[in-house]
Amino acid sequence: RRLHFDPLRKEVMRRAFSVTRGRYSSNKLDIMTKVEQRDMILRMDRSAPQFQNLAENSALLENVHSIVVCLLNRIPIFLIGKPGNSKTVSMALVNNSLRGRDSLDPLLQMYDGVTVFSYQGSIESTSEGVLQVFERAQNYKDSGRANGILPVVVLDEVGLAEMSRHNPLKVLHSKLEPLHGQELEIGVVGISNWALDAAKMNRALHISRPDPTEEDLIDTAKIIATSFENGDLDERSRGRRSVVQTSSFSKLGKILEGLARAYFKY
């Protein structure tokens, strides 16, 4: 998922599956992936007001699914993309939903809960500040209070920290890739509007979100509008595409499609 341009992603998938001579196809894999992503998003706790009107576009689905899988497997992950690609809200949704045995969903109750230790990157960031947040997470892990809880370091706006004259991210190498192939004891999620240097990105899973497609923009506009019309996103989340086809919404839907296409083109 390092390709930031959606057509390139599709072309790579097409070429990769061409060697199977029709036995498998990228479309089938894409459908299977979307099913798993949607299943995960439906398990999230969206009772809080800030999560009730979220548009279930491809960015949110991919981000949430990737974060959960990486945290459960102790794989550091970087979410890279322009503002508006649901990076921060995806992490907040996962944090709100993974609560161990207190999770609302039966499957999520089987997983560790998460406790977030945040670091806000800036052009004045220092290596000491980065190390401190990792030490806080590790101390929590070692304190004995973390039974069934996974400490997670969230590096927000980590791209800004890379611009600091103090070169604070040099300490990330050992934190993302422990010596002797040991498994990470804490989760690491980095969020940035642009990619970091390869030395850091190669030590983590890198999700590079492409710009929204025309279909993404249309779906997002319709989902948000429908949530205001219905007043409850959760009740329609399983059939979001069918809801926007209602007669009362058809006229507005056409207007939104036109706006989305114009925004995408210009």
Side-chain angles (χ1 to χ4, degrees):
R1 283 303 193 182
R2 296 186 179 218
L3 297 175
H4 66 281
F5 192 49
D6 197 57
L8 287 179
R9 288 183 169 192
K10 294 179 179 179
E11 178 62 18
V12 168
M13 294 294 290
R14 186 192 67 78
R15 293 190 181 186
F17 280 92
S18 64
V19 300
T20 67
R21 299 181 179 179
R23 288 183 296 174
Y24 306 99
S25 69
S26 59
N27 289 336
K28 290 182 180 179
L29 178 62
D30 188 58
I31 292 173
M32 291 172 58
T33 303
K34 285 289 190 286
V35 169
E36 292 298 322
Q37 291 175 348
R38 182 159 301 285
D39 178 74
M40 183 59 69
I41 204 72
L42 292 175
R43 296 180 185 278
M44 296 290 107
D45 180 4
R46 299 171 63 177
S47 58
Q50 65 267 34
F51 303 128
Q52 291 180 4
N53 294 326
L54 287 179
E56 295 175 12
N57 53 26
S58 59
L60 183 71
L61 294 176
E62 185 178 82
N63 289 343
V64 169
H65 185 265
S66 300
I67 291 173
V68 172
V69 171
C70 286
L71 290 182
L72 295 180
N73 290 280
R74 309 299 191 268
I75 300 172
I77 178 174
F78 285 105
L79 301 178
I80 309 298
K82 294 180 180 179
N85 270 307
S86 304
K87 303 184 299 295
T88 301
V89 74
S90 296
M91 184 60 229
L93 183 57
V94 172
N95 182 36
N96 186 65
S97 304
L98 287 182
R99 300 196 298 268
R101 288 177 294 182
D102 294 328
S103 301
L104 295 184
D105 185 82
L107 178 63
L108 300 186
Q109 292 173 4
M110 302 170 61
Y111 301 146
D112 289 343
V114 299
T115 295
V116 168
F117 295 83
S118 297
Y119 180 81
Q120 182 66 41
S122 72
I123 59 175
E124 295 298 328
S125 294
T126 63
S127 56
E128 289 78 10
V130 175
L131 285 174
Q132 284 178 2
V133 71
F134 277 94
E135 289 174 1
R136 286 169 48 211
Q138 189 62 53
N139 290 338
Y140 181 82
K141 178 71 175 178
D142 298 337
S143 66
R145 297 177 295 164
N147 185 28
I149 300 295
L150 173 66
V152 177
V153 172
V154 176
L155 305 170
D156 200 4
E157 296 292 354
V158 67
L160 287 177
E162 191 173 49
M163 300 172 61
S164 172
R165 66 182 187 276
H166 305 294
N167 192 20
L169 300 186
K170 60 186 178 183
V171 300
L172 280 183
H173 295 186
S174 61
K175 297 299 182 182
L176 298 178
E177 193 175 51
L179 296 175
H180 311 300
Q182 297 173 338
E183 184 182 75
L184 288 177
E185 294 186 341
I186 61 177
V188 181
V189 179
I191 299 173
S192 177
N193 292 339
W194 54 83
L196 309 180
D197 69 81
K200 301 175 184 66
M201 304 300 288
N202 290 339
R203 289 175 165 85
L205 182 70
H206 170 194
I207 301 293
S208 183
R209 285 299 315 165
D211 292 339
T213 64
E214 183 176 310
E215 181 182 357
D216 286 336
L217 293 174
I218 293 174
D219 280 353
T220 300
K222 287 184 176 181
I223 295 164
I224 293 175
T226 306
S227 69
F228 283 107
E229 183 181 59
N230 291 358
D232 186 358
L233 182 65
D234 288 337
E235 291 182 359
R236 60 165 183 84
S237 60
R238 295 181 183 272
R240 66 186 182 90
R241 290 187 181 274
S242 62
V243 171
V244 298
Q245 304 298 329
T246 59
S247 57
S248 61
F249 194 78
S250 59
K251 185 175 181 179
L252 178 59
K254 293 180 180 178
I255 296 175
L256 292 175
E257 285 185 19
L259 287 173
R261 290 194 173 96
Y263 180 85
F264 178 80
K265 184 176 180 179
Y266 297 104

